[in-house]
Amino acid sequence: MSKSPQTKSERSGARLAVVQALYEMEISGKGTLEALAEFEAFWIGSEVEGIQHPPADAVFFRDLLRGTVDEQRAIDPVLDKALVKGWPLKRIEAVLRAILRAGAYELLFRRDVPARSAISEYVDVAHSFYDGDEPGLVNGVLDRVARDVRAEELALPAAGRQG
């Protein structure tokens, strides 16, 4: 069963909001509950400083934000392994780090989301912030993570996949 366009777009909006919330939390020191409340009340689906923020699936947003924060100790070593030697996650710019962490969370802990869909969604999120090589980096790193943690799913022939 495929998702309706509205559901898919609201999940895309949730992913974008999670990346923004993770970034905000990192630079401001806000906690998860404060970020959840702020984004749900003032950002998601609202126009802020002339920018229209898309609607988001609130339940999916909450799970992604809480999960990414709660599982960061498991996520970061997986990303460090997937990154080029000499460029640990801590050296990556904050927005890019937020994108990689949220994407890795989905690949590691949300088996209900197809790996290729998760990767594609976070490449799209990266395009929202960057015009350069960063979306390609997101694609490469998340693809390496997926090949490590979902090898069986990625090995299926196209006809055997569900999306």
Side-chain angles (χ1 to χ4, degrees), residues 1 8 15 18 33 42 45 53 64 66 82 102 106 113 135 139 148 151:
M1 180 171 134
K8 183 183 180 323
R15 289 178 176 104
V18 161
L33 291 177
F42 302 112
H53 296 269
L64 292 180
R66 283 188 180 122
E106 280 198 57
V113 177
N139 186 53
D148 280 350

Side-chain angles (χ1 to χ4, degrees), residues 104-116:
Y105 170 75
E106 280 198 57
L107 292 170
L108 290 162
F109 298 100
R110 291 295 307 247
R111 298 291 174 143
D112 60 310
V113 177
R116 285 181 175 82

Side-chain angles (χ1 to χ4, degrees), residues 6-17 43-46 52-58 61:
Q6 182 176 7
T7 303
K8 183 183 180 323
S9 110
E10 287 183 357
R11 280 194 160 205
S12 298
R15 289 178 176 104
L16 180 63
W43 291 83
I44 294 174
S46 300
Q52 181 63 44
H53 296 269
D57 177 327
F61 169 72

Side-chain angles (χ1 to χ4, degrees), residues 3-132:
K3 304 233 178 273
S4 71
Q6 182 176 7
T7 303
K8 183 183 180 323
S9 110
E10 287 183 357
R11 280 194 160 205
S12 298
R15 289 178 176 104
L16 180 63
V18 161
V19 168
Q20 292 168 320
L22 289 168
Y23 172 78
E24 174 73 19
M25 290 169 67
E26 184 169 331
I27 63 165
S28 72
K30 289 179 182 167
T32 306
L33 291 177
E34 189 178 356
L36 283 169
E38 180 182 324
F39 271 76
E40 288 181 3
F42 302 112
W43 291 83
I44 294 174
S46 300
E47 185 176 321
V48 180
E49 297 176 8
I51 298 170
Q52 181 63 44
H53 296 269
D57 177 327
V59 172
F60 192 61
F61 169 72
R62 287 182 205 123
D63 176 74
L64 292 180
L65 186 59
R66 283 188 180 122
T68 301
V69 172
D70 291 349
E71 300 295 345
Q72 190 172 322
R73 285 185 180 192
I75 292 167
D76 285 3
V78 171
L79 288 171
D80 278 334
K81 182 180 169 196
L83 285 160
V84 175
K85 277 272 192 255
W87 280 97
L89 188 61
K90 66 184 177 191
R91 288 187 66 185
I92 302 291
E93 186 270 328
V95 173
L96 201 50
R97 192 167 42 243
I99 294 168
L100 292 172
R101 281 179 173 150
Y105 170 75
E106 280 198 57
L107 292 170
L108 290 162
F109 298 100
R110 291 295 307 247
R111 298 291 174 143
D112 60 310
V113 177
R116 285 181 175 82
S117 295
I119 294 167
S120 175
E121 286 282 331
Y122 285 100
V123 168
D124 288 348
V125 169
H127 279 292
S128 298
F129 294 99
Y130 302 102
D131 293 325

